[in-house]
Amino acid sequence: MKMPVFLLGVSVIFWGWQTGLWFFALPIALILEAANWLPYRWDFSASDFRRIANFCLILLCGLLVYLLVANRSIYLIYNLLQWLPGVFFPLVAAQVYSVKESLDIRLMFLWLNKATKKAPLNPLMVNLNYPYFICCLLSASTANSRDISFYAGIFALTAIALWSVRPKNVSFILWLGLMLIAGSIGFIGQMGLHQLHLAVEQQAISWLSQGNSQETDFLKKQTNIGSVGLLKQSNEIIFRVASEAKQPPPRLLREATYNRYNSSLWLALNPNFVPVQPKINGTTWDLGDQLPNPSTITISATLPGNQGLLKLPDGTFKIDALPVSQMEKNKYGTTKVVGKVDMLAYRSYFNNNFSVDSQPTEDDLQIPKSEMAALNKILGQMDTQGKSPPEILDKIEWFFMKNFVYSLKLRGKDNDATPLSTFLLNTRSGHCEYFATAATLLLRKLGIPARYAVGYSVHEFSPLENQYIVRSRHAHAWTLAYIAGKWQAFDATPSDWESMEDAAAPRWAFISDLWSLLSYKILLGLRYLSGSNGLKYGGVILLALIFFWRCNPNFKKTVRLFSKKQRWLKAIYNKDSLSPKSEFYLIEQALNESGLIRPPSESLKNWIERLKKEKPELSCLEELALLIEIHYCDRFDPEGIKDAQKAELKLAIKSWIEQYRRQAIASNSQVNKSGKSTIAFLR
């Protein structure tokens, strides 16, 4: 089924328009459509097509590995589908520029390669134009265009494709009316499917993100206070921190802050997010006024789902080298961003002696009534009367260090007490969420405004990477206390928690660390290349071409260029295809010169039988049956024929050609009844 001219190229351009991949779509469309005008075709063998198909498979696997490294989210499948037309372009281009108009579909599957070699006479020939057309439409749909342009383009391209295969006896008016009705129904249906798609996608994201400690909700934080069991920790490296002043970075990097505690749940009341506008360069963002004597660190992290919360040190007033499309900041210092970037490597400017968070409110002094009794008992055991705020912090820190222990075992709660009260008065054993919550409420009970903060502890230096690495198990919670006119971090968790968790790390963690480092370096290289379009696209294409060339060093020797005017050469791709090594091709050449052409789909035997009926005056055609049988034996029999038989075949073919030419000349005037039989040479 022949595809209308320009339809394939237009579908590729439509894919580039919807996905924004113009740099790839335009040259692909030009190359594919140029085949309709160029008069030359290449002689690709089955082995050549197999190599090209394997090359496309390598591209697909490489793309999948890159996406797995760069984007570990539900959106990975969308990104993979977007690139399919580019991945399979080499195979489609090879087909449109080949003397064949289709290829054996089994060549595209590695497990069927042996079948293509064992059964060369039974190919499953398929023209890839329409499958590639469908692939372009599918890839275009992954761009999630919200306007009517996508549906209009899909409808127009589909209508053109269907028009080319319509029954010729169908009225144009009737066909157009049916198409418009189908298009209208489809438009209404796709709006419903879009809503269903959004609902399913959100549910899938919710399922996949359950238990993922990296997904922090800026509105609420459900702690594990009161749970029973063992708190599981992951050793995965999730981001890296480099200090530019050859000094250790801040020990704590904050993600979110909350101010209302209620039954193991921390909430951020009225966060009041406000947009932050970037500078002219689009990558510099001011979060507050310029502070004196700033320090800087560079944080390298991914952005799951193309959105998330930034990890920042206290006192951050400016962020640089952050190529996101949107940023918002609330009054508690929580900063969220949105942007289609695979990796972030942003620079934070900060001064720990200053605070850019909002002033405290009454909510920063609120205490649940259910926790009052336990807090009063604990304060009765501490000497805080008449102490200054800094001295109170020291008292609370010392009290927890002396009387409590750090543990990841979740012991639950008593039936007659809250989980926090059980921790303070009974078990006195817990993880950072217990200590941070208790310290926050104790400070509030003493009249010091306090908030609950979550983020990560930065304490593990990697000599291999020459920077600090932060793992998932380094997630931490602490208290923000408002003292001397600014918010300052206060960590009441016993300091040995870091060494305890490091000691429990698996011994084989270095293997995953090496893989994480490799992934990180690959992403850094790709991020660097993305800064230049020439390096971004040209280098990848050049490497791909070099790889393909090296995979087939005999490419120049095996692939020949033919003109479409030499139609008789197409016969070499039939199952009875001839080879210059066989003398029988001289007979076909002689017949072709007389205008007796064999179509590529017609076998040698059927061809000769047809010529007998069309040219009964050529009695020599009767003698070709035996020559064909001997030719088949020479070509397809594993043992072949002997040298003596080959010599006899050569003489017989030469004699037949001479006899044919005599009969052809004589047939123009009268039938030649003489002529020595060529079969005698074979007996």
Side-chain angles (χ1 to χ4, degrees), residues 420-658:
L420 186 63
S421 299
T422 302
F423 163 73
L424 290 173
L425 304 177
N426 186 5
T427 62
R428 296 202 169 188
S429 173
H431 54 279
C432 60
E433 292 176 333
Y434 281 100
F435 289 99
T437 300
T440 302
L441 298 183
L442 284 171
L443 289 175
R444 290 182 176 184
K445 188 69 175 65
L446 294 171
I448 300 175
R451 293 171 179 172
Y452 180 87
V454 297
Y456 292 88
S457 170
V458 183
H459 62 271
E460 182 178 349
F461 182 79
S462 171
L464 181 63
E465 301 190 22
N466 195 31
Q467 61 184 340
Y468 286 82
I469 57 176
V470 182
R471 306 179 187 273
S472 178
R473 60 181 173 84
H474 294 161
H476 196 48
W478 62 94
T479 299
L480 290 177
Y482 192 76
I483 298 175
K486 70 181 185 68
W487 293 98
Q488 65 180 55
F490 171 57
D491 189 1
T493 305
S495 57
D496 60 348
W497 77 270
E498 297 172 352
S499 58
M500 291 176 59
E501 290 197 358
D502 291 341
R507 295 182 179 180
W508 57 86
F510 71 93
I511 299 178
S512 60
D513 289 352
L514 288 176
W515 170 250
S516 177
L517 175 60
L518 177 62
S519 303
Y520 169 67
K521 293 298 184 182
I522 292 175
L523 287 175
L524 278 183
L526 293 174
R527 188 173 184 268
Y528 172 76
L529 291 176
S530 64
S532 169
N533 286 335
L535 290 174
K536 180 179 181 181
Y537 302 118
V540 175
I541 295 174
L542 179 60
L543 289 176
L545 292 176
I546 293 175
F547 180 83
F548 174 66
W549 186 269
R550 295 300 299 170
C551 286
N552 186 14
N554 297 320
F555 183 81
K556 295 173 67 177
K557 299 179 181 179
T558 59
V559 179
R560 295 174 294 166
L561 178 64
F562 295 113
S563 170
K564 289 195 291 186
K565 297 179 181 179
Q566 298 171 295
R567 295 185 179 181
W568 65 272
L569 287 172
K570 291 186 179 181
I572 66 176
Y573 297 102
N574 191 262
K575 66 179 180 179
D576 303 314
S577 59
L578 304 179
S579 169
K581 296 180 180 180
S582 172
E583 298 294 337
F584 197 88
Y585 82 96
L586 296 173
I587 294 178
E588 184 171 11
Q589 184 176 3
L591 293 173
N592 286 331
E593 291 174 352
S594 301
L596 304 178
I597 306 298
R598 177 169 74 97
S601 60
E602 190 174 26
S603 67
L604 286 175
K605 290 184 177 181
N606 293 338
W607 181 41
I608 299 304
E609 291 298 324
R610 177 171 60 82
L611 293 181
K612 288 180 183 180
K613 297 177 182 179
E614 296 177 356
K615 301 290 184 179
E617 68 274 12
L618 298 178
S619 59
C620 60
L621 295 175
E622 297 287 344
E623 302 176 5
L624 285 181
L626 180 57
L627 295 180
I628 292 175
E629 292 296 335
I630 299 175
H631 161 68
Y632 279 174
C633 184
D634 183 28
R635 288 222 54 203
F636 303 120
D637 193 324
E639 297 181 359
I641 60 178
K642 297 180 180 180
D643 293 340
Q645 291 176 310
K646 289 183 179 180
E648 291 178 354
L649 177 62
K650 183 176 181 179
L651 292 174
I653 290 174
K654 183 178 180 180
S655 177
W656 185 92
I657 292 175
E658 293 175 355

Side-chain angles (χ1 to χ4, degrees), residues 338-375:
V338 176
K340 292 185 177 181
V341 288
D342 297 326
M343 177 180 176
L344 300 177
Y346 54 95
R347 186 181 301 106
S348 170
Y349 294 80
F350 65 97
N351 188 327
N352 280 328
N353 296 321
F354 293 86
S355 176
V356 295
D357 295 354
S358 64
Q359 296 293 316
T361 65
E362 293 183 358
D363 293 325
D364 299 316
L365 292 172
Q366 294 295 320
I367 301 174
K369 294 181 179 180
S370 58
E371 311 294 350
M372 282 291 190
L375 295 175

Side-chain angles (χ1 to χ4, degrees), residues 211-393:
N212 187 352
S213 61
Q214 299 179 41
E215 298 292 339
T216 303
D217 189 340
F218 56 84
L219 291 177
K220 61 181 179 180
K221 177 62 176 179
Q222 179 63 59
T223 68
N224 287 291
I225 295 177
S227 300
V228 179
L230 182 65
L231 192 61
K232 296 181 179 180
Q233 298 286 296
S234 169
N235 204 56
E236 178 188 7
I237 298 174
I238 55 176
F239 67 95
R240 293 163 170 83
V241 180
S243 179
E244 300 180 3
K246 295 183 180 181
Q247 296 179 353
R251 180 177 167 274
L252 299 174
L253 296 183
R254 182 163 33 126
E255 267 195 324
T257 307
Y258 310 92
N259 63 342
R260 173 65 65 87
Y261 179 73
N262 184 18
S263 184
S264 303
L265 178 68
W266 277 100
L267 302 172
L269 298 180
N270 304 317
N272 298 329
F273 275 94
V274 294
V276 179
Q277 300 301 325
K279 296 294 186 180
I280 298 178
N281 59 11
T283 60
T284 301
W285 311 77
D286 287 337
L287 302 181
D289 297 333
Q290 180 76 25
L291 298 179
N293 303 320
S295 301
T296 58
I297 59 172
T298 298
I299 301 171
S300 302
T302 58
L303 194 61
N306 298 326
Q307 60 182 350
L309 303 180
L310 294 182
K311 305 161 184 64
L312 299 171
D314 288 340
T316 297
F317 61 88
K318 185 174 75 170
I319 302 174
D320 193 14
L322 182 59
V324 295
S325 58
Q326 180 180 343
M327 177 185 292
E328 291 181 325
K329 178 181 179 296
N330 70 8
K331 61 184 180 180
Y332 304 126
T334 303
T335 304
K336 61 178 181 178
V337 294
V338 176
K340 292 185 177 181
V341 288
D342 297 326
M343 177 180 176
L344 300 177
Y346 54 95
R347 186 181 301 106
S348 170
Y349 294 80
F350 65 97
N351 188 327
N352 280 328
N353 296 321
F354 293 86
S355 176
V356 295
D357 295 354
S358 64
Q359 296 293 316
T361 65
E362 293 183 358
D363 293 325
D364 299 316
L365 292 172
Q366 294 295 320
I367 301 174
K369 294 181 179 180
S370 58
E371 311 294 350
M372 282 291 190
L375 295 175
N376 288 329
K377 289 184 179 180
I378 292 297
L379 289 176
Q381 303 174 23
M382 299 169 56
D383 182 18
T384 59
Q385 190 69 27
K387 303 296 183 182
S388 65
E391 292 175 332
I392 291 176
L393 296 183

